[in-house]
């Protein structure tokens, strides 16, 4: 599916290759406009709203994902800059970085788009009654599921190519091997640190 066919998403960033580095640079737009063309404040990138992101390569949607983690969409996408190589990333996080990195090496245009649902005021039950919550929000999963359902209907039950887990597919062997090596390296570093502490 082409991003031009989507009516609810707006562009937030482009991906840039950094010469001699495996860390990707995400260039967030200085002027953000929603799907209606209305100007949005930069804080929407760090605000905790229910959100879905679309990874788009040369105009084609490759992945639909979502999050509600602290720090907004910028924090959600940050793992894809380097695949979490300094820690113990999930194979999904590492795998998407791998796809991004090898796609940018082919000099293809990669963009991030966002769909979000605004927070709202709502009475929420506590122990003794209801309280007004001024920044209530829905689960991002509801937006993500709606987007996936629309995509599947449009594409005759075919998922976006990089939504590997949703398709019950196995990750490519190259990604699995590199991810396993990364986890092994991380474990070895922990063992060395423990030995240094004991001394």
């Amino acid at each position: 599916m082409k991003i031009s066919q989507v009516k609810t998403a707006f562009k937030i960033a482009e991906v840039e290759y950094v010469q001699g580095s495996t860390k990707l640079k995400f260039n967030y737009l200085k002027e953000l406009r929603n799907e209606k063309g209305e100007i949005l404040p930069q804080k929407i990138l760090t605000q905790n709203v229910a959100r879905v992101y679309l990874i788009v390569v040369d105009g084609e949607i490759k992945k639909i994902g979502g999050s509600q983690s602290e720090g907004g969409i910028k924090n959600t996408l940050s793992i894809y800059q380097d695949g979490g190589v300094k820690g113990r990333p999930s194979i999904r996080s590492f795998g998407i970085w791998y796809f991004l990195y090898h796609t940018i090496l082919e000099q293809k245009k990669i963009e991030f788009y966002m769909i979000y649902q605004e927070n709202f005021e709502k009475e929420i039950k506590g122990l003794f009654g209801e309280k007004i919550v001024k920044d209530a929000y829905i689960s991002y999963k509801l937006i993500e599921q709606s987007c996936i359902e629309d995509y599947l209907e449009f594409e005759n039950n075919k998922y976006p190519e990089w939504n590997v887990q949703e398709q019950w597919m196995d990750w490519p062997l190259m990604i699995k091997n590199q991810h396993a090596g990364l986890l092994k390296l991380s474990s070895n570093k922990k063992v060395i640190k423990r030995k240094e502490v004991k001394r």
Side-chain angles (χ1 to χ4, degrees):
M1 178 189 287
K2 298 284 186 187
I3 189 62
S4 58
Q5 295 164 305
V6 176
K7 297 176 181 174
T8 54
F10 57 94
K11 183 176 171 178
I12 58 169
E14 290 184 1
V15 179
E16 181 183 338
Y17 172 65
V18 180
Q19 193 70 37
S21 174
T22 56
K23 187 169 184 176
L24 299 168
K25 184 177 179 185
F26 295 173
N27 297 319
Y28 287 91
L29 302 185
K30 300 286 184 231
E31 186 177 283
L32 295 169
R33 290 183 179 269
N34 68 14
E35 67 274 17
K36 297 173 186 170
E38 301 163 340
I39 293 177
L40 292 171
Q42 285 289 312
K43 71 176 185 178
I44 195 65
L45 298 175
T46 53
Q47 193 176 356
N48 292 320
V49 292
R51 59 198 175 266
V52 161
Y53 61 88
L54 308 175
I55 300 177
V56 177
V57 176
D58 287 345
E60 194 80 30
I61 297 171
K62 293 289 188 177
K63 171 146 179 76
I64 299 172
S67 171
Q68 209 136 10
S69 62
E70 294 288 320
I73 194 77
K74 272 191 172 181
N75 187 52
T76 297
L77 298 176
S78 65
I79 190 73
Y80 297 148
Q81 288 187 284
D82 65 3
V85 293
K86 292 180 182 168
R88 294 181 60 79
S90 69
I91 191 158
R92 180 191 56 80
S93 297
F94 181 78
I96 297 301
W97 164 82
Y98 185 95
F99 287 152
L100 286 168
Y101 183 73
H102 288 275
T103 298
I104 204 84
L105 288 179
E106 295 173 13
Q107 299 185 330
K108 293 186 177 181
K109 185 176 185 180
I110 304 174
E111 303 165 301
F112 288 110
Y113 283 73
M114 177 179 176
I115 298 170
Y116 78 101
Q117 190 74 41
E118 290 179 345
N119 292 349
F120 50 90
E121 189 173 292
K122 179 70 178 166
E123 289 183 350
I124 305 292
K125 290 181 181 178
L127 292 175
F128 310 110
E130 294 182 337
K131 298 178 180 183
I132 297 289
V133 175
K134 295 193 178 192
D135 232 8
Y137 48 81
I138 64 168
S139 168
Y140 80 90
K141 282 284 187 189
L142 295 173
I143 307 169
E144 184 181 39
Q145 188 57 42
S146 291
C147 290
I148 292 285
E149 286 172 6
D150 285 345
Y151 189 97
L152 290 173
E153 186 177 334
F154 189 88
E155 291 289 346
N156 296 318
N157 287 321
K158 186 179 174 189
Y159 281 88
E161 185 182 345
W162 293 359
N163 280 77
V164 176
Q165 287 172 289
E166 290 83 352
Q167 299 177 67
W168 300 98
M169 289 173 56
D170 206 1
W171 288 91
L173 189 58
M174 182 68 77
I175 291 176
K176 286 177 21 179
N177 288 343
Q178 287 190 26
H179 181 253
L182 186 65
L183 295 183
K184 185 176 180 183
L185 185 66
S186 175
S187 294
N188 290 343
K189 285 180 183 176
K190 284 184 179 179
V191 170
I192 290 168
K193 282 185 181 178
R194 281 194 208 116
K195 286 179 180 176
E196 287 174 354
V197 168
K198 286 180 181 177
R199 285 178 190 172

